[in-house]
Amino acid sequence: MHAAAAAAALLVCLCLAGQGLAFDISPGACPKAPTVIKKHFNVHWYTGRWYEVEAYSQIWELGGKCSTAEYSLQKDGKVHVKNAMRFWLGNDITQEGYAEVTSENGDAELLVTFQVPIFGKRQANYWVLATDYETYSVVYSCTDLAGLIKFESAWILSRSPVLDDVSKVEVENAIKAAGLNRKAFKPTKQDC
C-alpha cells in the first residue's frame, strides 16, 4: 500500500512540476502520432522563419520572449534548426541542431537533435499536426516513461509575430482534432 501511495505522490509532484515548468505531464503512453499530415508533407515548403505564438510552457524559455525557429535545408538532406529568443536581460539566446524526417511514407514526423551543454545530445520528436506552410503550423512532441507517464509539448507557430483570424480557426480545429490540452498553451510575447 505504501508503494502505491508513493507512486501517486510522485505522479502528483511530476504533474505540478510539468504544469509550472516544462511541459504537460499526464498518465499513459504517447500516441503514435496524432493526426499528423499524411504522405504529402513538403519539408522544402516548411523551411524558413516561424514565430512561436503560443506553446506549452518550456523550462528553457523561462525569462524569454520573441521565440523563433528558423529551418533551412542542408546538403546532407537534414534540416538545420536554429531556435532563438530574447532573454529578459536583453541578450539573444540561440540553440542550433538538425531535424530528420523519420517517416518512410512521407508523413510529417521528424526527429530533432540538439547538443545541449552539460546534458549532451537531446532528441525529441517533432510532429507537424497541421500547416498551410504560408501562415501557421501546429507542432506536437511527446516522450513517455515506460508507457506510464507522458511528457507532451506543443507549439502554435506563425510566419508573422501575430496569427491572422482565418489561421486561428484552422489552428483551433487542429488542436481539437489532435486532442491536445488547449489550457496548457501559453501566449508567447512577440514585441521585439
Side-chain angles (χ1 to χ4, degrees):
M1 188 68 174
H2 293 293
L10 175 62
L11 179 60
V12 168
C13 289
L14 286 172
C15 289
L16 291 173
Q19 291 295 331
L21 295 177
F23 25 69
D24 196 40
I25 300 175
S26 59
C30 292
K32 165 69 177 88
T35 323
V36 298
I37 297 172
K38 299 289 186 187
K39 298 185 183 176
H40 63 276
F41 178 66
N42 189 322
V43 72
H44 298 278
W45 293 352
Y46 198 74
T47 59
R49 177 175 293 237
W50 290 95
Y51 294 85
E52 181 183 289
V53 177
E54 291 183 49
Y56 285 17
S57 296
Q58 304 296 320
I59 195 165
W60 53 86
E61 289 186 354
L62 290 176
K65 63 180 184 174
C66 302
S67 298
T68 61
E70 186 86 32
Y71 305 118
S72 58
L73 291 176
Q74 299 178 166
K75 290 181 182 178
D76 63 2
K78 296 177 184 175
V79 178
H80 179 258
V81 177
K82 181 179 179 182
N83 292 336
M85 71 172 187
R86 173 85 31 93
F87 194 57
W88 67 275
L89 293 172
N91 55 320
D92 290 335
I93 297 173
T94 61
Q95 182 180 39
E96 297 187 52
Y98 63 90
E100 299 177 88
V101 176
T102 58
S103 170
E104 294 179 13
N105 59 3
D107 294 352
E109 298 175 20
L110 294 91
L111 181 68
V112 180
T113 304
F114 291 103
Q115 191 65 32
V116 180
I118 301 171
F119 297 105
K121 185 165 71 169
R122 181 177 67 91
Q123 292 185 309
N125 51 38
Y126 182 103
W127 295 331
V128 181
L129 304 182
T131 187
D132 66 356
Y133 300 99
E134 297 174 4
T135 326
Y136 73 91
S137 180
V138 178
V139 180
Y140 173 78
S141 182
C142 186
T143 303
D144 67 46
L145 295 176
L148 301 173
I149 299 172
K150 62 182 177 276
F151 302 85
E152 298 174 288
S153 294
W155 298 265
I156 299 170
L157 307 176
S158 175
R159 292 291 189 179
S160 64
V162 178
L163 199 59
D164 65 66
D165 290 339
V166 173
S167 297
K168 285 179 184 177
V169 172
E170 295 297 321
V171 164
E172 293 305 325
N173 289 340
I175 289 170
K176 186 176 181 180
L180 299 181
N181 179 0
R182 186 62 178 102
K183 292 179 181 179
F185 283 94
K186 305 294 180 219
T188 303
K189 209 176 225 190
Q190 287 288 353
D191 61 353
C192 298

